[in-house]
Amino acid sequence: VTVRAGGERTILHVDMDAFYVSVELRRRPELRGRPVVVGGSGRRGVVAAASYEARRFGIHSALPSAIAKRRCPHAVFLDGDHAHYGDVSRQVHEILHRYTPLIEPLALDEAFLDVSGARVLHGDGRTIAGKLRDDILRELSLTCSVGVAPNKFVAKLASVEAKPTADRDGVHPGLGIVVVDPGREREFVHPLPVERLWGVGPVTLEKLHGIGIRRVADLAEIDILALRASLGDRQADHLRALADGIDDRPVESDRAVKSIGHEETFSHDLFDADDIHRELVRLADAVATRLRRNALGARTVTLKARYSDFATMTRSVTVDEPVASAADLLALVDPLAAHLDRSRGVRLLGISGSKLGPPYRQLQFDDLLAETADDPSDALDSVRRRFGHDSIKPASLLRRRVEGTP
DNA sequence: TCTGGGGTCCTTGTGCGA
DNA sequence: TCTGTCGCACAAGGACCC
């Protein structure tokens, strides 16, 4: 977190163009110019990314694959290769690091950069955006769009304006870079439809339409009390600030991960307890592997299940000491799973760990015994060496304590 | 044969101790 | 002693993001 006394910030939002698809096309150049879809090949899949040629047919991310195939039967559907996308993402980040250490990754394919302190060395925001686009294209054969603005939110909207577009008429190249100068934020955001604001999804949009708000300018003008009554104080105040082009959130380069989880939708619903247990074993193993890779343990473990009617439920337990092994995760999750209503059919199961911390275990007396030879007195000596002579003594030497005191 | 998987953040309800 | 309330922590659900 940096605090700059006075002076405008210069924030870049870098967004790779159709990232997964573009990475695949580097490996399979024969598919260039064709509608290509990554993900969504499974029976219950959805689209993860679509080439601009595929977008001409109304295919977009999160679209159920069954619908995507209906809209464009001749599209090429590829399974995703997330490990590879992760590698390429790291290469992109190495390039970004040449210009500033203040990088906040949002996803594999996009990041915020605070280049306020890099202007002397590398030039203004537009210049830096041009340089890193050139670097990424030359070194990785990938294109990206960049928004430049005094804050994160406007920079993100600007990068959308910089992107290529696709409609029935064809694919239209984008500007590549869009700069919103300080003082022009309101002018830039006011004409946009309100659903372009970060945090306005289908539910909030419905509420906003209900009180007559369709453009960002409407949001900036409406009585704040009416807005609060509709959305709640916190969200109302937040959206109003955005509508005024105000966003003070810093670029956070060192955000700690808060949860690690795995979930899976099955090709066919599960009704059998053994089947469910088997899947939980797999999920627990996957979560445990990633916890340990990150040198973390979880104090809270959450079981997620989605029934065939798409109703979702979660149940969690919190324990005193972080767990990081598949066996420990499973021991916590299995009792939760016993309460599932299997007769409804389970289409998805997930396990996630939160309240993360170092995976240490409270030192047990047995641990100390195990460190020493068979002679218990060795263990005594070991404890006293580590924790002091009075740290261990015969129970008979302990004074009785008044009930209720430590 | 419609609805993934990785997350973050916020709201709401509830239980508990002061 | 009983009751209300306040603040807090936690669990569960949901909205939203890519």
Side-chain angles (χ1 to χ4, degrees):
Chain A
V1 175
T2 56
V3 178
R4 306 188 63 78
E8 289 290 344
R9 294 190 298 161
T10 302
I11 308 298
L12 269 56
H13 180 253
V14 178
D15 198 343
M16 305 302 294
D17 298 334
F19 182 57
Y20 298 167
V21 169
S22 304
V23 170
E24 292 296 344
L25 291 181
R26 294 196 315 180
R27 300 198 278 200
R28 307 181 59 172
E30 73 277 10
L31 296 179
R32 283 190 192 281
R34 294 183 57 186
V36 176
V37 175
V38 171
S41 59
R43 181 170 165 266
R44 281 173 163 173
V46 298
V47 173
S51 69
Y52 287 94
E53 289 79 9
R55 296 184 198 191
R56 293 181 59 190
F57 296 89
I59 296 178
H60 54 84
S61 54
L63 185 74
S65 55
I67 296 176
K69 283 172 184 167
R70 218 175 293 151
R71 287 188 185 171
C72 187
H74 60 287
V76 178
F77 285 79
L78 302 173
D79 283 324
D81 180 355
H82 272 79
H84 182 50
Y85 307 150
D87 290 340
V88 179
S89 176
R90 277 184 282 279
Q91 294 167 0
V92 171
H93 279 247
E94 281 171 19
I95 292 175
L96 302 183
H97 263 282
R98 295 172 192 167
Y99 297 94
T100 175
L102 288 176
I103 300 176
E104 179 180 331
L106 278 183
L108 284 183
D109 64 334
E110 61 180 289
F112 286 115
L113 281 67
D114 186 335
V115 298
S116 309
R119 288 179 290 207
V120 174
L121 196 58
H122 296 292
D124 63 10
R126 181 185 290 278
T127 305
I128 295 174
K131 284 180 179 176
L132 60 85
R133 284 188 83 229
D134 290 346
D135 289 351
I136 291 171
L137 181 60
R138 188 176 59 251
E139 297 175 33
L140 303 177
S141 303
L142 293 169
T143 63
C144 64
S145 305
V146 184
V148 183
N151 63 52
K152 283 167 46 165
F153 149 71
V154 177
K156 182 149 173 57
L157 289 183
S159 75
V160 176
E161 296 300 306
K163 282 211 162 289
T165 55
D167 55 28
R168 285 197 196 84
D169 301 330
V171 179
H172 313 288
L175 295 166
I177 301 171
V178 167
V179 179
V180 179
D181 289 319
R184 314 291 291 267
E185 297 94 326
R186 283 169 62 97
E187 183 184 325
F188 177 72
V189 301
H190 275 198
L192 299 174
V194 75
E195 59 265 35
R196 290 279 297 280
L197 296 186
W198 231 27
V200 176
V203 175
T204 307
L205 182 65
E206 189 70 31
K207 291 179 188 168
L208 291 174
H209 282 175
I211 54 176
I213 294 175
R214 298 195 170 265
R215 291 175 310 121
V216 175
D218 301 332
L219 193 55
E221 286 160 14
I222 192 176
D223 176 38
I224 187 66
L225 294 179
L227 193 60
R228 286 177 178 163
S230 180
L231 301 181
D233 292 0
R234 205 180 163 103
Q235 195 181 16
D237 293 347
H238 177 62
L239 289 185
R240 168 59 72 91
L242 296 186
D244 287 331
I246 297 168
D247 177 16
D248 295 329
R249 292 171 298 181
V251 171
E252 297 182 76
S253 54
D254 48 7
R255 297 182 61 176
V257 60
K258 300 212 163 115
S259 67
I260 289 177
H262 263 280
E263 62 184 59
E264 188 175 332
T265 296
F266 311 112
S267 55
H268 297 281
D269 297 343
L270 306 182
F271 294 87
D272 183 74
D274 289 340
D275 291 341
I276 288 171
H277 179 74
R278 204 172 306 121
E279 295 300 336
L280 291 178
V281 170
R282 282 185 40 238
L283 291 167
D285 185 52
V287 173
T289 301
R290 280 180 54 214
L291 282 171
R292 288 197 297 268
R293 194 184 302 148
N294 288 278
L296 291 169
R299 286 214 305 119
T300 297
V301 179
T302 303
L303 169 72
K304 174 175 172 179
R306 178 170 289 153
Y307 293 110
S308 57
D309 62 359
F310 223 70
T312 306
M313 72 108 211
T314 60
R315 291 291 180 270
S316 62
V317 283
T318 299
V319 292
D320 288 337
E321 301 194 358
V323 296
S325 74
D328 287 345
L329 288 170
L330 207 55
L332 294 173
V333 149
D334 257 339
L336 301 177
H339 294 101
L340 287 175
D341 182 0
R342 288 182 279 111
S343 68
R344 294 171 70 180
V346 175
R347 65 175 283 145
L348 170 148
L349 285 172
I351 296 175
S352 86
S354 54
K355 286 195 171 71
L356 303 179
Y360 71 87
R361 205 161 59 91
Q362 181 71 48
L363 200 57
Q364 305 289 319
F365 188 61
D366 287 351
D367 297 331
L368 290 161
L369 284 177
E371 282 180 16
T372 61
D374 295 334
D375 185 349
S377 58
D378 285 344
L380 266 179
D381 292 339
S382 169
V383 170
R384 285 177 168 153
R385 270 198 305 276
R386 287 176 72 151
F387 302 111
H389 187 80
D390 283 337
S391 60
I392 188 166
K393 61 179 81 170
S396 56
L397 297 182
L398 288 171
R399 273 191 305 161
R400 292 192 65 175
R401 293 188 190 279
V402 178
E403 200 177 308
T405 65

